[in-house]
Structures are given as C-alpha cells and as structure tokens.
Amino acid sequence: MSVTAIVGANWGDEGKGKMTDVLASEADFVVRFQGGNNAGHTIVNPWGSFALHLLPSGVFYPHVENVLGPGVAVNIPALLQELEELRRRGVAEPRLRVSDRAQIVLPVHVLLDRLEEERLGSRQFGSTRSGMAPFYADKALKVGLRIADLFDGDRIREAVERCLDLKNILLTHAYSTEPIDARAMTESLLQAGSAIEPYVRDTTALLQTAVREGRRIVLEGQLGALRDPDHGIHPYTTSSSTLAGYASVGAGIPPGAMTRIVAVTKAYASCVGAGPFVTELAEPAAGRLRERGGSAGEYGATTGRPRRVGWFDGPATRYGARLQGATEMALTNLDVLSAWGEIPICTAYRIGERVTIDFPPTGALNRAEPVWEQMEGWGTDITGVTTYDELPVAAQRYVERLEALIGVPIRFISVGPRREQIIVKPA
Ligand code: GDP
C-alpha cells in the first residue's frame, strides 16, 4: 500500500503529528494538502518538542521528501521561520518541496482576518487570525497569487493590483484603516520569492511519478473532519476541506491511489476554538483533564489557547471516521486517562425526545445532550506498554468499546507523546 492519509476524526489536535512522525519513518514522501499555518502539530522526538505549523511532519527524517501541495496556504515568512527554528535546534536541513501552484498567504489576508474578528466582537468565529478565510476567499474569487507568479515580474505586478483592488476599498471604508501600497507589496513579494525559490518545484509531476513508481507517500491532514466546510460544525469550520477525499485534490494525485486512511482520535475529546461540543466538561473537572492531556497540557499549538476538553464522543467520532473513509483508526492519549477510576463515554445524543447515534447539523447539535456509559478505569501507568496484551484488561475493554462505537478497527494505540510510545493492535 503506497499512499496513506493520516487525518483527524474530530475537531483537530487528535495527535496526527505524532502519528505522521511514527509512520513517516517508512515513507518516501510526507505531503501537506490543505490549510496553512493556522494550526499546529506537536511532535516530541530526540531533538525535543516541536510545534510544526506549516512544515510536514516528515522533516525530522533526512530520507523523507516533504511536500507542500497546491492545496496548501503558504505564508512564506512563517515557513522560513519554521525552517530557521529547526536549524537553530540542530535538526538536519529537511528536504522540502513547495508546489509552484500553491497560493500565498499575504499580510493583507492576516490583517483582514484580524479586522473582521474585531468587527464581529462577541459574534466572532474564533479564528486563529492567520488569514485563512480571506486567503481561501481570494482563491474562490480568483484574485489570489500563486508561488509561480513570484518569478514573473510583470505577472506579479498585475496580480497585486488585482488582489488589492477591492481590498483597499474595504480597508479604508469598511475598516477605516490605511490602504496597502501595491509597489511595496510587490517588492516584498519579490524578495520572498528569492528566499523560497530553492524549495519550489512542480510537486504535482513529482508526486504523480512517485505514485506510478509505487513510492510510499503519507498525506498529512490538518484539523479534523468536524471542521470541514461542507460536513463540519458550520460556521465554526475551517476554510479548506480537512477530509482524506480532498487529499488527492490538494496534493495532486489520483484519488484511487489512496489505499489506506488512518483517522486519528483521542481517547477523550478536545476542541480549540468556538462551536458546539456535546461532551464538554465544565471547570474544575475540565482543568484536571486539560492539565494531564497531551504532551504538556491541552493548549493550542499555534495560539496557546486553553483547549476545551471533554469525554470521548461516540456519535462525533463515528461520523468523523465515516466522512474520512477511515480504513483504520489511531487512538491517542490513552495514557492520559490512567488517572481516572471511572471514565464516562458518550454513546449517543438525546435531542428532545429522540435518541440518536447520528451527528446532526449545528442547530440540533446545540440542543444535544450526551447519553453516558461508565467505563471502568485501569488506574496504572501505561506509558511504557508496548504490546496490546500488556495493556490492563480494563484499558483493553475501553479500547474495544470505542472501536465498536466508531465501527472502524483501531490499529494504533498511542500511550505517550514520544515516537516509541505506540502499540500496534493485532487485527
Ligand atoms: P495534531 O494537530 O492532530 O497533530 O495534534 P496536536 O499536536 O495539536 O495535539 C496533540 C497533543 O497530544 C500534543 O501535545 C502531542 O504531543 C500529544 N500527544 C500525542 N499523542 C499522545 C499520547 O498518546 N499521549 C500523550 N500524553 N500525549 C500525546
């Protein structure tokens, strides 16, 4: 099986970065296919703990070619800064290829994102303010700039004029702020072009050849199924598709080439940003789970915002796994639950008189109440466990109950943030 997608079954932050880091050891390519530096993966490896935002999670393996596909939103200064951070911390120069067809996140996108959230005030979407919505809006409006444009002086000048045309009216009239100077913007884009040029490739041709040659490709998703613009918790979604189905589009490989889809979910639930979250815990219980969760507590890798936390949500995860077309699941952060004597899980939603295991649209979701089942805890440290048989029986029961609720086999169980803290569950 040469093409594997690693994607989120929930709201994001499921531990996809760790899973990609694990599976990248056997990959030739690790490819990002959507999103930008608006989210982050935390990876803990021999060099330390890293928050990657735009770089693919294969950058720690010298043999891996890391690709930002045409579907990615490329913030060039942010990308260069992440590369610099790796250098500073002693990681060997990664092999990075950036698609010449990918579009560029401009400072004006970041500015508009912030101004709009400020304008919305208490009605804001909880954007990470990295410019994603204005960036993808420009893509739809066909006024975005592609990386390839950076190497064509006339084209870039014309593209900047077109891009700023309406925005300067918005900036001055709707947001009462200064317009952007087209000449200064063109100048800084030309400089950004020189800095990024060594990495720019026709990644579509590169990956098409790789697929034909049967090379091992890992497609790395960002955020999770419930943030997908079509299927997620609208309007608290992200601006690009988070689904494995989109991976072939955003990476530029044939859909049929993807044979393995690993959907990642946590053993509990976490959600950064706004939107309905049925199993959410209130304080102080939330604080207890938040502090124990992840590698250093549940705080956003990009924003540092405290993540909302709750118990495992069966209907949400089953829906997310189905949307992803998961062929297998990876369950992360099981170790975090070792501190609880009893662990509630949500098996269904009660919406008015109705009990359902289906995941409804946002209005009904806001009214949904969790139907709980209590699972017995295991109460011992499992961070050193390496085989399924060694897991306490109560932990095995927990895993198997989740597997039944999701309806997809759990193949990987992660019991700590480090690479080696992974159990492969026998089929
Ligand atoms: P991603 O965006 O899906 O990669 O998720 P994040 O990296 O934002 O969040 C996952 C958090 O869980 C990070 O802090 C990881 O280091 C951490 N993590 C991943 N797997 C495990 C695990 O099995 N146990 C613990 N304790 N932390 C984990």
Side-chain angles (χ1 to χ4, degrees), residues 5-7 33 219 241-249 258 261 323-325:
I6 301 175
V7 285
F33 56 88
L219 301 165
S241 177
T242 53
L243 302 183
Y246 183 77
S248 64
V249 179
M258 201 188 320
I261 299 173
L323 280 177
Q324 294 291 13

Side-chain angles (χ1 to χ4, degrees), residues 6 29 49 111 115 123 137 146 150 160 223-224 261 305 334 351 356 360 383 389:
I6 301 175
F29 294 84
S49 176
L111 175 66
L115 291 171
R123 292 172 298 135
R146 277 180 154 181
L150 296 175
V160 166
L223 294 168
I261 299 173
R305 291 186 286 190
L334 187 64
I351 306 172
T356 180
T383 52
D389 288 346

Side-chain angles (χ1 to χ4, degrees), residues 7-199:
V7 285
N10 300 122
W11 300 263
D13 311 320
E14 297 93 345
K16 298 175 295 293
K18 143 113 194 212
M19 286 312 303
T20 309
D21 186 49
V22 168
L23 295 175
S25 65
E26 293 167 6
D28 300 308
F29 294 84
V30 176
V31 185
R32 281 276 311 269
F33 56 88
Q34 47 85 221
N37 62 328
N38 51 318
H41 300 304
T42 305
I43 294 180
V44 184
N45 62 24
W47 293 274
S49 176
F50 292 83
L52 297 181
H53 305 283
L54 202 46
L55 286 173
S57 301
V59 288
F60 300 104
Y61 292 100
H63 70 276
V64 169
E65 290 198 50
N66 293 278
V67 176
L68 299 184
V72 175
V74 184
N75 180 323
I76 299 174
L79 179 64
L80 297 172
Q81 202 180 325
E82 263 184 62
L83 280 169
E84 188 48 42
E85 173 70 6
L86 294 193
R87 276 181 213 121
R88 197 181 63 73
R89 295 180 60 187
V91 179
E93 191 69 26
R95 297 166 71 178
L96 176 67
R97 323 284 182 230
V98 180
S99 168
D100 51 4
R101 291 181 174 86
Q103 295 198 13
I104 305 162
V105 179
L106 301 165
V108 69
H109 293 137
V110 180
L111 175 66
L112 285 169
D113 199 358
R114 175 172 66 74
L115 291 171
E116 181 57 9
E117 287 283 280
E118 283 170 8
R119 189 187 72 83
L120 288 168
S122 61
R123 292 172 298 135
Q124 62 184 238
F125 294 109
S127 160
T128 58
R129 303 182 182 204
S130 16
M132 290 301 111
F135 166 89
Y136 281 105
D138 271 9
K139 200 182 228 196
L141 289 167
K142 295 169 282 286
V143 295
L145 274 72
R146 277 180 154 181
I147 299 265
D149 297 337
L150 296 175
F151 313 110
D152 181 336
D154 289 340
R155 213 179 146 77
I156 189 86
R157 266 179 278 281
E158 200 186 302
V160 166
E161 297 279 350
R162 202 173 46 226
C163 174
L164 289 181
D165 198 24
L166 188 59
K167 286 189 192 65
N168 275 340
I169 299 175
L170 255 183
L171 286 171
T172 49
H173 294 281
Y175 297 113
S176 307
T177 184
E178 294 297 310
I180 307 280
D181 178 53
R183 202 185 302 193
M185 179 168 147
T186 307
E187 216 29 65
S188 89
L189 279 168
L190 289 170
Q191 279 172 21
S194 312
I196 202 176
E197 195 166 12
Y199 307 107

